Amino acid sequence: LSLIDELTAKAIKDGEAEAKAYKAYFEWCDDTAKNGEHAIQTATAQKAKLEAKIGELTSDIDVAGSKIEELAAAIAQGEAELKNATLIRQKEEADFSASEAEMVDAVDTLGRAIGILEKEMAKNPAAFAQVDASSMSGALRALSAVLDGAAFAANDQKKLMALVQDQQGDEDDDLQVGAPAAATYKSHSTGILDVLEDMKEK
């Protein structure tokens, strides 16, 4: 009996130990399951947040890409306009320089012609008194004769005659819009010298 009691007590004790161990293991499994479920929920929520952030950043990238394209187009247009404006400016500057050089040359030619005429008039004023400067043809003939006699360069004579004829062309245009013929020409051209002086001032 004593042996049976001992064995029974040992069996009961071992069973209690095993039950305690099983309970501890069950509680560990339960805690592990709960922790795993929590971790899954946390990871799922974090995944949703990251996906939303990725979507937001993707949208921002698309908007930024469109903005970059707009800015690139605006820059290209601005560069094209600047290039065109530069070309126009360069052309205007070249035209102005050419016009200025032509004007300086014309003023110089007129000045030298006036100087020659003044000298010739001082030498022989009676001859100039007979010149008919009331018409352009008469003025041109008289002017050509004087300059030929004064050894005025042929090239400069051509320039001067062209200037006088251009002046007459401008006055003819004035006549077409109603200016009186006599007033338009005679008011500025009482003599050859007056014609040239008037052109030089203009």
Side-chain angles (χ1 to χ4, degrees):
L1 280 176
S2 176
L3 181 58
I4 292 172
D5 290 338
E6 289 178 0
L7 290 173
T8 301
K10 185 175 183 302
I12 292 171
K13 185 177 180 181
D14 290 343
E16 290 176 349
E18 288 180 2
K20 184 177 180 181
Y22 176 77
K23 182 180 180 182
Y25 176 72
F26 180 82
E27 290 176 352
W28 177 83
C29 288
D30 187 53
D31 290 341
T32 300
K34 288 180 180 179
N35 290 337
E37 184 179 353
H38 178 70
I40 290 171
Q41 291 176 348
T42 302
T44 300
Q46 187 66 24
K47 177 175 174 286
K49 289 182 180 179
L50 291 174
E51 287 176 344
K53 190 65 176 178
I54 290 171
E56 180 182 348
L57 292 175
T58 300
S59 176
D60 290 344
I61 289 172
D62 291 339
V63 172
S66 298
K67 191 65 176 177
I68 288 172
E69 290 178 357
E70 290 177 4
L71 292 174
I75 290 171
Q77 182 180 355
E79 289 177 345
E81 291 176 353
L82 177 61
K83 183 178 180 180
N84 290 335
T86 300
L87 292 174
I88 292 172
R89 175 58 181 161
Q90 289 173 345
K91 183 179 182 304
E92 289 176 346
E93 186 176 359
D95 291 344
F96 175 79
S97 297
S99 297
E100 184 181 33
E102 184 178 347
M103 185 176 297
V104 169
D105 183 59
V107 170
D108 177 66
T109 302
L110 287 169
R112 287 185 288 114
I114 290 169
I116 290 173
L117 285 174
E118 287 176 340
K119 290 179 182 178
E120 294 299 320
M121 287 178 68
K123 292 178 184 178
N124 190 7
F128 281 87
Q130 299 174 2
V131 172
D132 177 16
S134 62
S135 67
M136 181 53 63
S137 60
L140 287 175
R141 285 195 301 271
L143 184 59
S144 178
V146 172
L147 295 178
D148 282 339
F152 199 62
N155 188 46
D156 288 339
Q157 281 196 47
K158 289 180 181 179
K159 291 181 185 177
L160 187 61
M161 295 303 172
L163 288 170
V164 175
Q165 289 171 349
D166 286 344
Q167 172 71 10
Q168 179 61 21
D170 291 341
E171 291 179 351
D172 288 343
D173 290 340
D174 290 338
L175 292 177
Q176 292 177 5
V177 294
T184 302
Y185 187 75
K186 290 185 179 179
S187 62
H188 297 289
S189 306
T190 56
I192 300 172
L193 193 58
D194 294 325
V195 174
L196 299 184
E197 287 284 5
D198 184 56
M199 289 173 59
K200 186 177 178 182
E201 290 177 3
K202 291 181 179 180

